[in-house]
Amino acid sequence: MTTRRPRERGVTVEDVARAAGVSRQTISNALNAPHRLKAETLERVSAVIEQLGYRPDQSARSLKSGTRRIIAYPTPVDDPANPNPLMGGFLEAVVAASGEAGYRILLVRPRPGQSQEQALDELIAARTVDGFLLSDVLRDDPRVAHLTAAGFPFAAFGRTAPGQPQSWADVDSAQAMIDLVGLIAARGHRRVAFLASTGGQPWMDDRRDGFLAGARRHHLTTQVYSVPGDDPAGIVAATRDLLSGRARPTAVVVSGDWLTLGVYTAARAEGLEIGEDLAVAAFDDLPITGFLQPALTTVRLPLRRIAEALINRLLRIIEDGVTPEAGLLLPGELVVRPSLGP
Amino acid sequence: MTTRRPRERGVTVEDVARAAGVSRQTISNALNAPHRLKAETLERVSAVIEQLGYRPDQSARSLKSGTRRIIAYPTPVDDPANPNPLMGGFLEAVVAASGEAGYRILLVRPRPGQSQEQALDELIAARTVDGFLLSDVLRDDPRVAHLTAAGFPFAAFGRTAPGQPQSWADVDSAQAMIDLVGLIAARGHRRVAFLASTGGQPWMDDRRDGFLAGARRHHLTTQVYSVPGDDPAGIVAATRDLLSGRARPTAVVVSGDWLTLGVYTAARAEGLEIGEDLAVAAFDDLPITGFLQPALTTVRLPLRRIAEALINRLLRIIEDGVTPEAGLLLPGELVVRPSLGP
DNA sequence: TTGAAAGCGCTAACAG
DNA sequence: CTGTTAGCGCTTTCAA
């Protein structure tokens, strides 16, 4: 079945103008500056527009105006066998927030053999988008440096360096950890361990720093374990080691929910009941947390608020040319579930 | 800090032509029909293009050519508190497949008060995209009907009706279920239950039908339970009911991984050991499956292959005007884990 | 093989 | 308040 259509020429201003018996400009005005038309004309013209289903050609309009109403989101590369379960929720929030303002999200990715910076340059040079939304931003992210140098609008989920535009929003991981440790201390724990995977991501450092700050504040005895990568076996081994020592901790804070599987496994192997003999808490609130037995205490990321803040800030830059003076930290939400114990 | 830039005029053909000492047309040819240039000229011109970082303006090019190299993906509305954990993996695969072919994905969504169809019409009329990628397609999906009527290119994750263009790809849920039931039968089970949530999605029907077909083939005694919605409490109750009857099933097949939490809970409440007293299998291979104890036997969706097939088919329609004769069913992958027992 | 001219559909500037 | 003119940057004729 072949459906090759002869590149349909859609309905244009010309058509509408003729049908309404006015000039092309009047049509344009009806859409872009309705106050300039006599109420009666406007009504008549609008009816014709409606009836013909006329929409200004996006490309023509963009060519003229120089604005695309599109935001590029460089999609993080994901392992399809083990995809980031929060990506859908973040995009949901981003699409909702940008759609509200009449912008759409274009998913972009460097072509094979192309660097991140080259991909950005191409999008800028081809004037494909009005700005960039960046996520998983590192402390010294080359993309941020590049966009800053190019003077092109962006907003970052993560944090930028002091000399760079502060158009970012991030989870206040440190504060959330401090709160979490406070809760643990209030429940009488004195020896608390922190278990982290060493990926080098800045947000993981923030979590660790927050943990340490909280522990210091409550005079807790701490122990910090780092395991390479996300290898479950390594985590189980580390946790068993942690739990088999003398003076073992009565609570374990884990840098991310994903690792807790290993912790649960190890605790069982050591004959410890989670929530009874050992309190466990983590971070992220992945969809899995309800599936652990007992359910996991964790910190929920404020993805919706982050997305809204990022889009707001980006549009302020794009439309008003105003770059925020300071970054924005949004609080994580403590979700207390049985793994924390009584 | 105000960074309002005076709407930078990027580098245009004109600039490059002047710099290279040739006409505008030669530049255009160098990019779009290099074979028409003398090798030496081409080289020289390319060097200048490279040096000036020239990229044809996307809008101008689109206006002229009528092609956007953009595919719209109407993003399913997601519950941000409980996001679809597979969305990230699907988008990853879609972005990779389309990027390969030089297309990008635009996330779209009806504006407040706008219907799905109106949103499609707007994108078509404004010539914003070359085609649509649809997911979560219902058996009689209004979007498919609308795009078919408009004669606009699309590809559907799901299945279209017989009279409609068969540009779809889907998981062969029925066959995967038949295989799964075969495996269960081979392990000696004679009484098998099917537990489903009633959402009315066609793929859920496919799964049930596959289950029944498999059971028939192996002469198994079956029992089908349907629970409204995804309410965990309802599932626990139904499962307890199921398990407490006389002649209770020795295996339970669940329509989706998500529901198994309730099944596990109910089984424990009945004093049954999963994998020992009761075999459990489900569908989707959500990231949670490894977190259940014992780990869950399930069917993995071939999202990467689906995405590739959809993009392939869509581009065939867009670029060659050729609509596939038939839909494409891709096999799910049986992932056997301890919940199925010995 | 290269150059000149026209026009894609739209809107901003100006004139009536 | 409405109409005319020009041009955004590109590519597709057509002519040289």
Side-chain angles (χ1 to χ4, degrees):
Chain A
M1 174 157 56
T2 299
T3 352
R4 184 52 155 203
R5 286 153 299 105
R7 175 116 349 264
E8 287 163 27
R9 310 236 66 76
V11 19
T12 76
V13 254
E14 194 67 53
D15 304 329
V16 185
R18 204 166 17 231
V22 296
S23 81
R24 299 172 8 171
Q25 184 48 26
T26 305
I27 307 303
S28 177
N29 281 339
L31 258 40
N32 304 309
H35 58 272
R36 292 217 201 127
L37 297 196
K38 207 165 27 176
E40 188 243 342
T41 315
L42 177 58
E43 188 149 348
R44 189 163 47 87
V45 166
S46 301
V48 177
I49 289 176
E50 179 66 27
Q51 190 200 328
L52 266 52
Y54 169 70
R55 302 279 168 192
D57 181 289
Q58 187 69 54
S59 301
R61 178 175 255 190
S62 290
L63 177 58
K64 189 74 195 161
S65 70
T67 172
R68 314 288 116 128
R69 312 224 88 180
I70 294 181
I71 294 165
Y73 176 55
T75 320
V77 177
D78 206 353
D79 176 5
N82 196 31
N84 176 357
L86 296 182
M87 179 55 74
F90 178 61
L91 282 177
E92 162 70 30
V94 166
V95 168
S98 56
E100 197 84 17
Y103 281 73
R104 299 198 177 99
I105 301 293
L106 187 70
L107 302 181
V108 302
R109 168 166 302 184
R111 286 173 305 172
Q114 198 181 34
S115 72
Q116 282 276 0
E117 289 94 323
Q118 287 173 324
L120 300 181
D121 277 340
E122 181 170 331
L123 287 157
I124 295 172
R127 276 140 288 179
T128 306
V129 299
D130 296 325
F132 288 87
L133 180 67
L134 304 177
S135 74
D136 303 271
V137 167
L138 304 176
R139 278 295 184 268
D140 195 17
D141 199 296
R143 301 171 300 173
V144 171
H146 204 76
L147 291 171
T148 301
F152 205 82
F154 71 91
F157 183 0
R159 311 183 193 186
T160 61
Q164 298 170 327
Q166 298 296 301
S167 66
W168 56 264
D170 199 5
V171 189
D172 192 349
S173 306
Q175 187 58 52
M177 271 296 180
I178 290 172
D179 295 345
L180 180 57
V181 172
L183 190 60
I184 288 172
R187 295 189 178 201
H189 296 274
R190 309 311 304 160
R191 287 189 309 282
V192 185
F194 187 73
L195 183 63
S197 67
T198 55
Q201 303 106 324
W203 51 92
M204 287 304 179
D205 293 348
D206 296 335
R207 294 176 188 185
R208 186 203 52 219
D209 294 349
F211 169 82
L212 291 174
R216 208 175 311 121
R217 186 175 304 178
H218 296 283
H219 309 292
L220 305 181
T221 303
T222 62
Q223 207 171 342
V224 174
Y225 263 70
S226 296
V227 293
D230 280 3
D231 173 34
I235 292 149
V236 173
T239 312
R240 294 198 65 169
D241 186 50
L242 179 71
L243 296 178
S244 59
R246 284 170 305 109
R248 64 170 176 79
T250 58
V252 181
V253 176
V254 189
S255 65
D257 288 352
W258 191 256
L259 301 183
T260 55
L261 177 57
V263 175
Y264 274 55
T265 304
R268 282 205 191 85
E270 294 291 329
L272 300 175
E273 182 103 13
I274 287 175
E276 298 281 331
D277 313 311
L278 182 69
V280 176
F283 214 99
D284 287 337
D285 196 38
L286 301 185
I288 53 155
T289 46
F291 277 69
L292 286 164
Q293 281 292 341
L296 182 65
T297 292
T298 188
V299 177
R300 179 173 299 162
L301 307 183
L303 292 180
R304 183 163 289 276
R305 297 184 59 192
I306 298 238
E308 286 166 357
L310 289 174
I311 295 296
N312 268 339
R313 288 170 162 241
L314 182 52
L315 295 190
R316 280 278 286 160
I317 301 174
I318 292 172
E319 297 184 344
D320 308 332
V322 179
T323 305
E325 300 286 347
L328 185 63
L329 285 178
L330 266 3
E333 181 193 347
L334 219 57
V335 184
V336 180
R337 299 203 187 91
S339 74
L340 200 62
Chain B
M1 176 157 50
T2 299
T3 352
R4 183 54 154 198
R5 286 154 298 104
R7 174 99 13 247
E8 288 165 25
R9 310 234 68 73
V11 20
T12 78
V13 255
E14 195 66 50
D15 304 328
V16 185
R18 204 167 15 233
V22 295
S23 81
R24 298 175 9 176
Q25 183 46 26
T26 306
I27 307 303
S28 179
N29 280 340
L31 258 39
N32 304 309
H35 58 274
R36 291 214 201 131
L37 296 196
K38 209 165 25 172
E40 187 243 345
T41 315
L42 176 58
E43 187 148 348
R44 189 162 49 87
V45 166
S46 301
V48 176
I49 289 176
E50 180 65 27
Q51 189 200 328
L52 266 56
Y54 168 70
R55 302 279 169 193
D57 182 290
Q58 186 70 53
S59 302
R61 176 176 259 189
S62 292
L63 176 58
K64 190 71 196 162
S65 70
T67 172
R68 314 290 120 137
R69 313 224 86 181
I70 294 181
I71 295 166
Y73 177 55
T75 319
V77 178
D78 206 353
D79 176 6
N82 195 31
N84 177 357
L86 296 182
M87 180 56 75
F90 178 61
L91 282 176
E92 160 71 28
V94 166
V95 168
S98 57
E100 198 85 18
Y103 282 72
R104 300 199 177 97
I105 301 294
L106 188 70
L107 302 181
V108 302
R109 169 166 300 183
R111 285 171 307 170
Q114 198 181 33
S115 73
Q116 281 275 0
E117 290 94 322
Q118 286 173 323
L120 300 181
D121 277 340
E122 180 170 332
L123 286 157
I124 295 172
R127 276 139 290 179
T128 306
V129 298
D130 297 323
F132 287 88
L133 180 67
L134 304 177
S135 73
D136 303 88
V137 167
L138 303 176
R139 277 294 184 268
D140 197 18
D141 198 296
R143 300 171 300 172
V144 171
H146 203 75
L147 291 172
T148 301
F152 205 82
F154 71 91
F157 184 178
R159 310 182 193 188
T160 61
Q164 297 171 327
Q166 297 297 301
S167 66
W168 56 264
D170 200 5
V171 188
D172 192 349
S173 306
Q175 187 57 54
M177 271 296 181
I178 290 174
D179 295 345
L180 180 57
V181 172
L183 189 60
I184 289 171
R187 297 192 175 197
H189 296 275
R190 310 309 305 160
R191 289 189 307 283
V192 185
F194 187 73
L195 183 63
S197 68
T198 55
Q201 303 107 325
W203 51 93
M204 287 305 180
D205 293 348
D206 296 335
R207 295 176 186 184
R208 186 203 52 221
D209 294 349
F211 169 82
L212 292 173
R216 209 175 311 119
R217 185 174 303 178
H218 295 283
H219 311 292
L220 305 181
T221 303
T222 63
Q223 209 171 342
V224 174
Y225 263 70
S226 295
V227 294
D230 281 2
D231 174 31
I235 290 148
V236 172
T239 311
R240 294 198 65 166
D241 186 49
L242 179 72
L243 296 178
S244 59
R246 283 170 306 106
R248 67 169 173 79
T250 59
V252 182
V253 177
V254 189
S255 65
D257 289 352
W258 192 255
L259 302 183
T260 56
L261 177 59
V263 175
Y264 273 55
T265 305
R268 283 208 191 81
E270 293 292 329
L272 299 175
E273 180 104 12
I274 286 175
E276 298 280 332
D277 312 312
L278 183 69
V280 176
F283 215 100
D284 288 336
D285 195 37
L286 300 186
I288 52 153
T289 47
F291 277 70
L292 286 163
Q293 279 291 338
L296 182 66
T297 292
T298 188
V299 176
R300 178 173 300 160
L301 307 183
L303 292 181
R304 182 163 290 274
R305 297 184 59 192
I306 299 240
E308 285 165 358
L310 290 173
I311 296 295
N312 269 339
R313 288 170 162 243
L314 182 52
L315 294 190
R316 282 277 288 159
I317 301 173
I318 292 172
E319 298 183 346
D320 309 331
V322 179
T323 304
E325 300 286 347
L328 183 64
L329 284 178
L330 266 1
E333 181 192 347
L334 219 58
V335 183
V336 180
R337 298 203 187 92
S339 74
L340 201 61

